[in-house]
Amino acid sequence: MEEDMASGDRLQIIVPCYNEEQVLQSTAATLASVIESCISAGLIAPSSAVLFVDDGSSDQTWRLIEDLHAADPQRFDGVRLSANRGHQAALWAGLSTADADLVVSIDADLQDDPQAIVRMIKEYDAGADVVFGLRSNRESDGWFKRSSATLFYRLLRLLGVNIVPQHADFRLMSRPAIDALLQYSESNLFLRALVPQLGFATAQVSYPRTSRAAGTTKYPIGKMLGLAIDGITSWSVAPLRAIGLLGLTVSAMAFLLGLWALWAALFTHATIPGWASIMLPLLFSQGLQFIFLGLIGEYIGKIFVETKRRPKFIIRARAGTNPRSAAARAERAEKVN
Ligand code: UDP
Ligand code: MG
């Protein structure tokens, strides 16, 4: 009953593009040739395609996408966002638009090896629903980018955020995994932490990361910081909890100081009149305030978790159905048309 699993499966490669006019054409050609060799190898359906997401570019990016689509409507497709929403939102737009059986997301500058896509599809064939692309080196990135990234990921893991080391947004996802991901309704996106927690069968493929083919980075320091802050604040309540711990420590210290002030006022002659009666309420109310802040932090943490409305569970399969069967594929194709 296990028929040839992937050869009929349609692949879409999602490429977020922000002012990428300099690399777009060569990227399109490279990705098309990867797709064609996978088709001839019998790995994917002949209708497989590249789906560009123009993230509100202000250069010729969208015109180039239109041209590519006009020249080969089967192979090149595109959507254009109304304004620049950022890399993660552009990826999300691509995943929501995609209707294929499996999807690979890759940056427009092809710093991530497109040849690794072939190995990803083989992992998919072997049963993986999510295949992470892992950078085996980052020498092509500058010193600052490398060390700030390492520090950031270490901090994230310290805060309990579960991410795959050396993985960014180059990954393959099967239709069940995409459908599961799309159930998440949060608007502060940090996909590289969200995808691993879906809980599907995963695999990894590593590749050396090269430098940008042309053009400059679309991730200036401001956007990088934004992503880092989103990564932490959309995932972890640890900073809020830290306030509570700090509060307990401060109030414990205030209590001891208060005892000391009382003792000094009553049993020594080293204090001036009125000192203890100012110190005691001061320390007391300081400690109380910190405890209250911590308490409020705990409730805000709960609100934070609740407002995300993350799915409590994801159904992987139903007895007697196989999402990769020809019948399921046909049913999906039906829905699209
Ligand atoms: N990108 C995007 N919107 C943005 C910034 C970047 O869609 O606001 C895309 C960009 O076109 C590229 C990918 O995100 O395909 C990664 O950007 P880049 O390669 O410049 O980042 P870096 O590799 O320098 O981290
Ligand atoms: Mg890049």
Side-chain angles (χ1 to χ4, degrees):
M1 146 139 192
E2 273 313 277
E3 61 235 275
D4 62 330
M5 291 226 298
S7 60
D9 281 6
R10 181 162 168 264
L11 164 74
Q12 272 171 316
I13 302 182
I14 296 180
V15 189
C17 308
Y18 178 55
N19 293 342
E20 298 285 10
E21 60 181 10
Q22 294 189 54
V23 295
L24 206 69
Q25 261 149 342
S26 73
T27 295
T30 308
L31 292 179
S33 83
V34 169
I35 287 179
E36 261 131 45
S37 65
C38 288
I39 294 172
S40 354
L43 286 170
I44 50 174
S47 57
S48 297
V50 182
L51 174 63
F52 294 102
V53 180
D54 176 7
D55 184 18
S57 297
S58 52
D59 65 357
Q60 293 296 308
T61 297
W62 179 243
R63 223 192 45 121
L64 291 173
I65 294 171
E66 288 268 41
D67 289 350
L68 284 163
H69 176 68
D72 192 345
Q74 154 132 315
R75 195 66 77 223
F76 299 114
D77 195 359
V79 288
R80 182 189 198 182
L81 305 191
S82 60
N84 181 234
R85 301 286 156 139
H87 183 206
Q88 300 290 298
L91 277 172
W92 189 267
L95 289 167
S96 326
T97 310
D99 48 32
D101 305 305
L102 66 152
V103 153
V104 168
S105 51
I106 190 168
D107 288 352
D109 56 5
L110 297 192
Q111 280 188 279
D112 308 300
D113 181 12
Q115 296 304 326
I117 294 175
V118 184
R119 284 184 283 144
M120 286 179 164
I121 297 171
K122 288 183 178 153
E123 292 290 348
Y124 168 80
D125 254 352
D129 280 293
V130 178
V131 186
F132 299 108
L134 308 190
R135 299 172 281 230
S136 58
N137 72 21
R138 295 192 63 151
E139 266 74 70
S140 52
D141 289 324
W143 172 85
F144 175 73
K145 179 135 192 163
R146 256 190 355 245
S147 41
S148 60
T150 310
L151 205 72
F152 171 59
Y153 289 117
R154 202 165 292 162
L155 178 66
L156 273 184
R157 240 162 304 146
L158 209 69
L159 294 175
V161 185
N162 178 19
I163 42 157
V164 181
Q166 296 310 324
H167 166 69
D169 286 304
F170 181 31
R171 74 178 78 84
L172 178 152
M173 295 182 79
S174 71
R175 175 49 51 188
I178 299 165
D179 288 345
L181 181 68
L182 293 175
Q183 288 180 39
Y184 285 70
S185 53
E186 58 207 79
S187 44
N188 285 300
L189 282 176
F190 192 59
L191 288 170
R192 64 198 70 167
L194 207 44
V195 175
Q197 83 140 44
L198 291 175
F200 283 76
T202 63
Q204 307 184 333
V205 159
S206 31
Y207 62 92
R209 185 162 152 105
T210 53
S211 40
R212 194 171 238 286
T216 52
T217 177
K218 307 298 179 284
Y219 257 104
I221 182 85
K223 269 187 180 162
M224 232 161 75
L225 264 177
L227 182 72
I229 291 172
D230 271 356
I232 292 171
T233 56
S234 71
W235 276 93
S236 179
V237 291
L240 285 176
R241 194 147 281 167
I243 299 179
L245 283 179
L246 187 71
L248 281 180
T249 319
V250 168
S251 42
M253 270 159 43
F255 180 71
L256 293 177
L257 271 174
L259 283 183
W260 172 74
L262 198 64
W263 173 82
L266 290 182
F267 301 111
T268 72
H269 300 286
T271 62
I272 43 172
W275 176 76
S277 54
I278 292 176
M279 281 305 276
L280 285 176
L282 198 79
L283 290 170
F284 181 71
S285 63
Q286 281 279 318
L288 218 56
Q289 275 182 32
F290 267 99
I291 288 182
F292 287 170
L293 274 180
L295 195 65
I296 290 173
E298 282 297 316
Y299 280 96
I300 291 180
K302 294 288 176 298
I303 296 171
F304 162 92
V305 171
E306 287 295 332
T307 49
K308 288 190 183 303
R309 302 225 151 271
R310 286 184 177 164
K312 290 184 202 56
F313 61 87
I314 287 159
I315 290 179
R316 172 68 190 88
R318 187 73 186 257
T321 62
N322 174 4
R324 296 191 187 184
S325 68
R329 259 195 323 259
E331 198 177 306
R332 277 199 294 275
E334 190 79 354
K335 254 190 268 167
V336 172
N337 296 325

